[in-house]
Amino acid sequence: MDQQPKLSLASLAVWGGEDEYLLDRATQVPVVHSVAFGYRDFDEWYEVATGAAEGHIYGRNTNPTVAVFEQKVRLLEGAEAATSASTGMAAISNLLHALLRPGDRVVSVKDTYGGTSLLFTEFLPAFGITCDLIDTTDTEATEAAIAAGSDLVYLETPTNPTLKVLDLQRLISAGHAAGAIVVVDNTFATPINQLPLALGADLVVHSATKFLGGHADALGGVVVGRSDLVRKVFQYREINGATLDPMAAYLLLRGMKTLDLRVKRQAENAMAVATMLEAHPRVTRVNYPGLESHPQHRIAVSQMSGFGGMLSFSLDGDLEAVKAFLPRLRLAHRAANLGAVETTVGPPATTSHVECTPEERAALGIPEGLVRYSAGIEDTDDLIADLRHALDF
Ligand SMILES: *Cc1c(COP(=O)(O)O)cnc(C)c1O
């Protein structure tokens, strides 16, 4: 066969994984709601049931619509294999439970997503797994903790909600030198802006609920990477039962067709908003990896092809100022979500770190007066005007 030209991510977002499941000449992936898949021939059934042949048996294990979603993310991240879960947290917790054993040691950073952080501080230690969470931007300390003995290194960059950036190349190398599996949560960056597997990571995990789906109408999670590891995660997940629903898989698939367009527009909007806010007298600090003032801007430039749609900022006047400011925004949902086509805002106390007490948030260096801003795809000038108006109180 002749060699096909390699497709760019924008084309893979539209076409990737889609060509195999067309029913009755439909051009769109069918939503298969069937719980079980029937076989007249025993031998064929047996082959599929034992994994000797491709096919579907039961919806908790695999489903044709869900399989297309997995393939699309696999192709976008440049991965060997993919599996999915009902939510981002299901993907993360199934991954950790599938790959870790009592006595194992995880090295991660303090600023992981709130739910992930709780797995490290409460749930995994109950199974005899040690989790060391290092100062997020202290690369030397993290390297030292990894070298001291680690089975799994768990990274997330940029972080939620303070947009810190980890040096992926250095920390992945440190993980591999110690013989650890290296996992990266790529939810904030998306494959359009950052490809951790190309930098050597073993697994990438996403909350597909956010940018991949992009329309705030479906929950989902996905794990992609080395096929031996993905297989273990799949085998745990099919028994654990946190299966992605076919309708959610369809909504996520439909959302992903515009991933490249959306993510580029969101990054443009975020950059414009961050630049405006940085010069605004009521704003004391802006966290956005695209700003030259960002402490890890150079690392972001070296490992990201775009800086993403997420930023956060502090108002002078703490939580009271935030309470007065938020209702004045017209073009923003005040909601615990991000990555959608609509701009979404919220303070950490009701969004990323709702699970933490004010004291725990303070210990993590997350100010109560912080506003997390997920830029949507609205007109840039409209967003700027809306923010300027809302800040004038
Ligand atoms: C939202 C989020 C998660 C959890 O995903 P759910 O789909 O809400 O379970 C994990 N990691 C990051 C970075 C997130 O933003």
Side-chain angles (χ1 to χ4, degrees), residues 16-64:
E18 299 246 347
D19 45 7
E20 283 170 44
Y21 291 94
L22 304 184
L23 191 73
D24 288 342
R25 305 189 182 182
T27 61
Q28 301 305 313
V29 175
V31 188
V32 179
H33 284 294
S34 185
V35 159
F37 299 83
Y39 294 85
R40 278 206 180 85
D41 181 82
F42 173 84
D43 293 333
E44 190 193 349
W45 189 2
Y46 188 75
E47 283 202 354
V48 175
T50 54
E54 295 251 328
H56 304 283
I57 294 287
Y58 184 59
R60 172 157 42 74
N61 310 343
T62 63
N63 166 283

Side-chain angles (χ1 to χ4, degrees), residues 302-334:
S302 74
Q303 71 191 23
M304 301 180 82
S305 45
F307 302 110
M310 299 301 302
L311 60 119
S312 60
F313 54 96
S314 296
L315 297 179
D316 60 349
D318 274 356
L319 199 55
E320 289 311 308
V322 174
K323 283 184 189 169
F325 160 73
L326 288 180
R328 292 177 57 80
L329 285 168
R330 181 158 67 125
L331 294 179
H333 285 307
R334 284 145 289 258

Side-chain angles (χ1 to χ4, degrees), residues 87-89 92 113 156 160 185 187-188 207 209-210 219-220 338:
T87 64
M89 279 318 302
I92 294 163
Y113 178 72
E156 182 178 323
N160 187 4
D185 183 335
T187 300
F188 265 38
S207 168
T209 314
K210 314 291 171 52
L219 294 161
L338 61 95

Side-chain angles (χ1 to χ4, degrees), residues 83-98 113 115-116 119 154 205-209 219-223 233-234 236-238 240-244:
T83 191
S84 57
S86 52
T87 64
M89 279 318 302
I92 294 163
S93 62
N94 279 261
L95 179 159
L96 294 169
H97 280 97
Y113 178 72
T116 309
L119 289 174
Y154 188 98
V205 63
H206 276 276
S207 168
T209 314
L219 294 161
V222 60
V223 178
V233 178
F234 164 70
Y236 183 84
R237 197 274 294 149
E238 65 176 338
N240 170 282
T243 304
L244 181 62

